Amino acid sequence: TEACLEEGKELLRRFTYILDVQCLEEGIKALSSELGLPRPHVKKGNTNDSLHQMTTRERIGNDEIYDFIVKRNRRDIELYEWSKGLSLVKCSELTSTPVDDDLLHVDDDADDLEIGNVSETKQPTSQPTPAKNPHEDTSKHNAIRAMQIHNYKLGRALLLNVHITHHGGTTVCNAMKQLGHAPEGACNRGDDWPETVPKYRPWGYDETDENAKALRNVYHFISWEFGIIPPTPLKEVKWESPNLVSFIVMKDPIDRRLSGDATTSKLFGEEADRTEEQWEAFAKYDGSINFMLTRLTPDHCGEEGENATIACLEHGKELLRRFTFILDIQCLEEGLEALANELGLPIPDVKKGRGRTSMSARERIGNDDIYDFIVGRNRLDLELYEWSKSLSLVDCSALDEGDFDDDLNVADAGDVDQFSDAINYNYTLNATDYSDDKFDAEDDSVFNNQSDSKSTNEELGSEISLASNNITNQDNINIDDRESIRALQIENYK
């Protein structure tokens, strides 16, 4: 029936690849390229037999019998013709494509294919090795991200915000608490923190899997705030862990520099009443130069400050590429909404930071020379922020004017004490937090049974259950989901 035909189509859609035997050699070569394998030598069946040079109608030699066979197999023919639209290689688009009718004939005495390592004498000289796919790294990142999102929806991966001080951390924390259990305060740590998980941050590479998995049993989200340069470079974290979904909120560094708090007001006066001399002292203060870059990059870059190099900028870019998501504080509300959609969560009610300003940083400073001086000292931070916009989950520039969250350019209430600590280099971490007590990470499969992983928030649990059902129900998988699944399968094969 027609329903059986549709079921056949639905099954074919679920396969990673479809090849067409009419151009099987090209199909297998394309499959090898997709999987990062050398090209195999395809040994075809017997093509010298004159019988196999004839069409099926010619081989049968009777039109009525041929038409009768075609009619009885019309659903198979429809399915085959339909499958050509999904084939990895479109045979009809090849020039002078040889029709491999011989491969349609069952040969009990020989294998159709021989696949193995290709010797130089057998390598076809007319087929040059394809150039490296320029999107290979993007495909790999997409596969990792698909795996992390999938595991989060199943309750197996922890959501982590890499919070640079004054980058909307309190706003993010409050939003995430609406969606599941998170540590109290600024989401950095809580009373129910597992004893097996160290309280220092960041983790080392070999700790990431195990720590993230243990925390996911308690929280759906945590935050790592960095007001000082991390004691261990952030590049050491296993950001590609299947047990971790990471994101960072990026912010214009000059707007960040103007984020007010009690310590800044004490040192340089209130912004509205600041004198030119106080503005000059503010601009010359060395504690906040390239603040963002020096916290994201290795030790030697963090020590450079104003003298940070282009190499440090590239280190920063490389780290940002490894995060699952990047958000832009200029449209944080829309970014958090998009993040919730990606993770199968309800849309949080974003409680924005206190206060609001519609003035630009130049207008707030009120002196072009001082403004230009601050910009010059933070040029690499500015370059990193502008570059990060291309990776942002939401393109703020594409939104209507007026949607920008300018009120988030002022300090969140929860950031005040942390910034004071950053200036005084008196970060509130216990000395014992930096012990050498490490935990070996197990080499767990992405799909290991972790049925004991639970969220303490019932609403989050129901959302995860719903998301899991959507994944297993093939009717709910769209083209983008299929591409993510295929990317994940290819990456796991490699």
Side-chain angles (χ1 to χ4, degrees), residues 25-42:
E25 181 177 359
E26 292 79 5
I28 291 177
K29 288 177 180 177
L31 179 63
S32 300
S33 295
E34 289 276 323
L35 300 177
L37 298 173
R39 289 187 175 188
H41 173 61
V42 180

Side-chain angles (χ1 to χ4, degrees), residues 389-420:
K389 293 179 180 180
S390 64
L391 300 183
S392 179
L393 184 58
V394 175
D395 181 2
C396 299
S397 64
L399 302 176
D400 294 335
E401 291 186 8
D403 285 344
F404 292 159
D405 293 337
D406 286 318
D407 52 330
L408 289 168
N409 286 333
V410 299
D412 285 334
D415 285 338
V416 175
D417 292 337
Q418 292 290 347
F419 189 57
S420 300

